[in-house]
Amino acid sequence: MRTQVAIIGAGPAGLLLSHLLAGEGVDSVVLEARSRSYIEQRVRAGVLEHPTVQLLREAGLADRLDREGMPHAGITLRFGEPGERRDHHIDFHDLVGRGITVYGQQEVVKDLVAARIADGAEIGAQLWFEVSEIAISGIESDAPVVAFTDAEGRRHELTCAAVAGCDGYHGICRPLVAPRTIERTYPFAWLGILAKAAPTHHELVYSHHPNGFALYSMRSPEITRLYLQVPPDTDPASWSDARIWDELGTRLAAEGFHLNEGPVLEKGVTAMRSMVAEPMRRGRLFLAGDAAHIVPPTGAKGMNLAVADVAVLAGALRDLLRGDHRAADAYTRTCLSRVWRAEHFSWWMTSMLHIFDDATEFDRRLQQAQLAYTVSSRAAATSLAENYTGFPHGAVL
């Protein structure tokens, strides 16, 4: 088997890269360890930055997004002493002239798979699901080989000109490129639920509360997505539905706010950590998405960073295959400038909004001062809005 680019991983990064490469006339094969049904149902991020939405529209991938996505013009920060908790709206449109769109990652994946198939990419030819025993060799040459076993147990060898590692932190690609990573683990996690309950607030609410952080979000006009700060070793089964709703009601409480309750469709705990792999390229193997970086979800950057990576990588691979190495040689530098900006923003949002068990009175007063400044200073609010809604793809920040 031969192709121009072998893509390991069929998440948003791998599938979007395959689509963008096809638009440049570059052939690719996508290899995914999970089944198609699994990747299309896996609930992950749900906030799309403005540049992400723009790119999906330009690539002809936003028909359903434009019909079903939920545009938001801002977010709300909720904080204050008991009895004095107030909402502070950060108006993105007013501050930076752009907004965000709430549209689940699994919906993006469904759209990308459907688009690849509609464009003629066949399952078992350009899209392979449930593959195993992937091995990559020859990445320092101009003809790497990817060996794998298909779902029926047959062994294949795929020769290509470049490999894109979009297989996440636990995949095989990251250790081949960057055995050293820069990491930080936070002393808490998020307990998240998906509930069949209509949203009662039109935008995301980030709530700072003495019991811990809470996030009010949504996925559709019928489904809400909610999170509670919990200890990192929390077993989701230890939290009954009644306990979750009670704690959400406490942490999200504010004058005039009503929380709809409903059947909990999904429950899980998300670790809070940061990771950056440097470099993002070795020879003809390039990392993108979670294989190269992880951010805590507070800043809503995970999927958007993956999209930004492949927006750069698609052009770099196109040029590389034509003999121009400049964009490929600059790939790590270009992407990491955005990655570290997102890491800082995500750390800042996390540090400002969460409760730290070892915080001193001095730490708590600093946190309160930061929250007050962010909502009272137009310059500070503009910085939040600029980072949250996203920077142009390819910009070196």
Side-chain angles (χ1 to χ4, degrees):
M1 298 171 58
R2 302 189 69 88
T3 192
Q4 290 177 290
V5 179
I7 301 172
I8 316 299
L15 291 167
L16 180 57
L17 178 61
S18 179
H19 187 90
L20 295 177
L21 289 172
E24 298 285 358
V26 176
D27 296 329
S28 65
V29 170
V30 181
L31 305 176
E32 170 57 47
R34 303 284 192 169
S35 68
R36 177 181 175 182
S37 61
Y38 179 89
I39 67 166
E40 290 185 338
Q41 295 171 13
R42 167 175 59 186
V43 176
R44 290 292 187 270
V47 173
L48 305 185
E49 293 177 350
H50 178 74
T52 296
V53 174
Q54 281 187 311
L55 177 62
L56 293 174
R57 285 175 178 155
E58 292 166 1
L61 298 166
D63 287 349
R64 196 162 69 94
L65 163 63
D66 285 334
R67 291 196 309 272
E68 301 178 15
M70 305 171 73
H72 288 194
I75 61 172
T76 292
L77 300 183
R78 179 174 293 169
F79 61 92
E81 296 299 321
E84 300 178 1
R85 291 172 57 76
R86 293 179 50 205
D87 281 356
H88 305 268
H89 187 239
I90 307 297
D91 189 330
F92 294 160
H93 281 184
D94 174 57
L95 294 165
V96 294
R98 57 183 184 268
I100 57 169
T101 300
V102 172
Y103 188 66
Q105 177 174 313
Q106 73 275 18
E107 305 305 325
V108 174
V109 168
K110 290 175 189 175
D111 295 344
L112 289 168
V113 172
R116 295 302 298 124
I117 293 172
D119 288 345
E122 299 179 10
I123 295 179
Q126 287 81 30
L127 297 172
W128 294 74
F129 296 100
E130 299 181 80
V131 306
S132 59
E133 300 177 305
I134 298 174
I136 304 171
S137 59
I139 60 175
E140 301 290 1
S141 73
D142 59 2
V145 176
V146 180
F148 66 96
T149 300
D150 68 22
E152 283 72 45
R154 295 170 297 198
R155 194 68 178 164
H156 302 269
E157 285 193 351
L158 176 63
T159 302
C160 55
V163 181
C166 306
D167 54 344
Y169 179 81
H170 297 289
I172 66 165
C173 294
R174 180 188 55 79
L176 295 174
V177 175
R180 183 184 77 91
T181 59
I182 304 168
E183 302 192 38
R184 173 172 183 164
T185 301
Y186 293 85
F188 38 72
W190 278 9
L191 172 63
I193 66 166
L194 203 66
K196 188 172 179 57
T200 59
H201 197 277
H202 64 289
E203 291 176 343
L204 277 68
V205 178
Y206 286 77
S207 181
H208 174 77
H209 188 276
N211 286 14
F213 169 77
L215 174 61
Y216 182 91
S217 182
M218 62 289 294
R219 287 294 180 269
S220 76
E222 297 81 32
I223 302 294
T224 48
R225 182 72 162 155
L226 304 117
Y227 298 93
L228 290 167
Q229 176 187 342
V230 294
D233 58 351
T234 295
D235 178 0
S238 68
W239 281 72
S240 67
D241 293 359
R243 181 186 178 192
I244 290 172
W245 287 116
D246 182 64
E247 190 62 24
L248 283 167
T250 297
R251 297 191 196 181
L252 289 169
E255 185 178 353
F257 178 78
H258 170 69
L259 179 65
N260 273 350
E261 298 183 13
V264 175
L265 307 175
E266 183 175 303
K267 184 190 305 182
V269 171
T270 300
M272 300 284 285
R273 65 193 183 100
S274 299
M275 183 280 294
V276 179
E278 294 187 13
M280 291 175 59
R281 174 202 180 186
R282 178 185 167 197
R284 290 296 180 97
L285 174 55
F286 299 78
L287 300 181
D290 285 358
H293 40 71
I294 294 171
V295 291
T298 324
K301 293 298 161 211
M303 179 169 58
N304 293 294
L305 278 180
V307 170
D309 287 346
V310 299
V312 175
L313 184 55
L317 291 175
R318 174 203 62 208
D319 292 350
L320 182 65
L321 295 173
R322 295 174 181 173
D324 185 345
H325 294 245
R326 288 174 296 178
D329 291 343
Y331 176 68
T332 289
R333 182 175 68 255
T334 301
C335 290
L336 284 185
S337 70
R338 173 187 293 270
V339 168
W340 280 111
R341 173 87 302 274
E343 291 285 3
H344 180 270
F345 177 67
S346 299
W347 163 84
W348 177 76
M349 287 280 286
T350 301
S351 300
M352 180 173 66
L353 290 162
H354 289 74
I355 299 300
F356 289 78
D357 289 340
D358 62 351
T360 65
E361 180 64 19
F362 187 82
D363 295 328
R364 288 189 287 272
R365 294 300 181 96
L366 289 179
Q367 194 175 47
Q368 293 165 7
Q370 182 62 69
L371 282 163
Y373 177 64
T374 299
V375 300
S376 62
S377 163
R378 185 174 180 87
T382 299
S383 177
L384 190 160
E386 182 180 44
N387 281 273
Y388 202 103
T389 58
F391 298 93
H393 290 151
V396 177
L397 305 173

